[in-house]
């Protein structure tokens, strides 16, 4: 049986993870993050009973050196996927995500019913010294059972957007990541 989840414990190098975390902290302190919603287009709404994270969308044209380095890493990863796995990825979207203490995201799938362009989901964690008591684990509902992943620094989790229901367990400490989707167009 094929594995449904890919995990790399050092997808981001330590310096890049630290600098991206610093970017996220600056955005948070300047109140540039906004409450995330669910759905897309006219079905979009902000429902604190479903999710409570705050986000900031990344732009490829950003002048920030570390965000540019991040996008170069993603471009290389997409090139690898397209040349070895014939995935036909043509675009992507990523955002910073911050789960304050008490925040969570209930069980969901990352692909919209009205838009199937999201092919792969990626989450890269920016949490140094994370402890199990801090909560915030990613719970994946795989065919073989539930898989729990701690949001430890530099780790990347990768899975098909239309296959795996997942949730973010309640966070007992600020939990930071970059989350995004590789898309067919």
């Amino acid at each position: 049986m094929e594995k449904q989840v890919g995990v790399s414990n050092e997808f981001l190098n330590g310096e890049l993870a630290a600098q991206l975390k610093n970017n996220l902290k600056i955005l948070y302190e300047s109140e540039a993050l906004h409450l995330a919603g669910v759905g897309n287009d006219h079905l979009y709404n902000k429902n604190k009973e479903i999710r409570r994270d705050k986000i900031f969308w990344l732009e490829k044209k950003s002048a920030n050196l570390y965000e540019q380095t991040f996008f170069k890493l993603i471009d290389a990863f997409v090139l690898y996927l397209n040349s070895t796995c014939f995935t036909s990825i043509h675009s992507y979207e990523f955002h910073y995500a911050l789960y304050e203490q008490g925040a969570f995201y209930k069980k969901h799938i990352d692909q919209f019913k009205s838009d199937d362009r999201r092919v792969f989901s990626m989450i890269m964690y920016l949490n140094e010294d994370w402890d199990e008591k801090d909560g915030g684990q990613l719970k994946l509902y795989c065919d073989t059972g539930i898989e729990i992943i701690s949001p430890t620094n530099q780790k990347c989790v990768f899975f098909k957007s239309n296959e795996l229901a997942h949730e973010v367990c309640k966070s007992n400490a600020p939990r930071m990541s970059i989350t995004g989707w590789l898309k067919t167009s």
Side-chain angles (χ1 to χ4, degrees), residues 66-170:
Y66 303 105
E67 290 172 6
Q68 284 299 310
T69 302
F70 170 77
F71 283 123
K72 286 178 186 173
L73 178 64
I74 296 300
D75 286 340
F77 185 61
V78 167
L79 181 63
Y80 173 79
L81 287 175
N82 285 341
S83 65
T84 61
C85 302
F86 311 105
T87 56
S88 299
I89 301 301
H90 296 292
S91 66
Y92 49 73
E93 57 188 359
F94 286 93
H95 63 66
Y96 288 113
L98 179 98
Y99 287 75
E100 297 172 303
Q101 185 174 353
F104 58 86
Y105 192 167
K106 289 192 175 177
K107 186 177 176 181
H108 65 283
I109 289 185
D110 283 346
Q111 194 174 79
F112 302 115
K113 291 178 182 174
S114 62
D115 182 352
D116 65 355
R117 293 178 296 158
R118 288 181 174 178
V119 178
F120 296 105
S121 299
M122 293 183 75
I123 307 158
M124 285 130 303
Y125 296 111
L126 308 173
N127 305 297
E128 296 174 24
D129 304 318
W130 196 259
D131 190 277
E132 288 304 309
K133 70 177 174 25
D134 295 331
Q137 294 89 351
L138 178 66
K139 183 186 286 189
L140 296 145
Y141 295 85
C142 302
D143 291 342
T144 56
I146 293 174
E147 188 167 339
I148 307 285
I149 298 175
S150 291
T152 54
N153 197 46
Q154 299 175 253
K155 183 184 291 180
C156 175
V157 180
F158 180 79
F159 54 91
K160 287 186 176 178
S161 299
N162 68 338
E163 276 187 12
L164 281 186
H166 56 285
E167 67 182 284
V168 176
C169 299
K170 181 179 156 189

Side-chain angles (χ1 to χ4, degrees), residues 59-64 68 71:
E59 297 286 337
K60 194 164 184 183
K61 62 185 177 188
S62 168
N64 182 278
Q68 284 299 310
F71 283 123

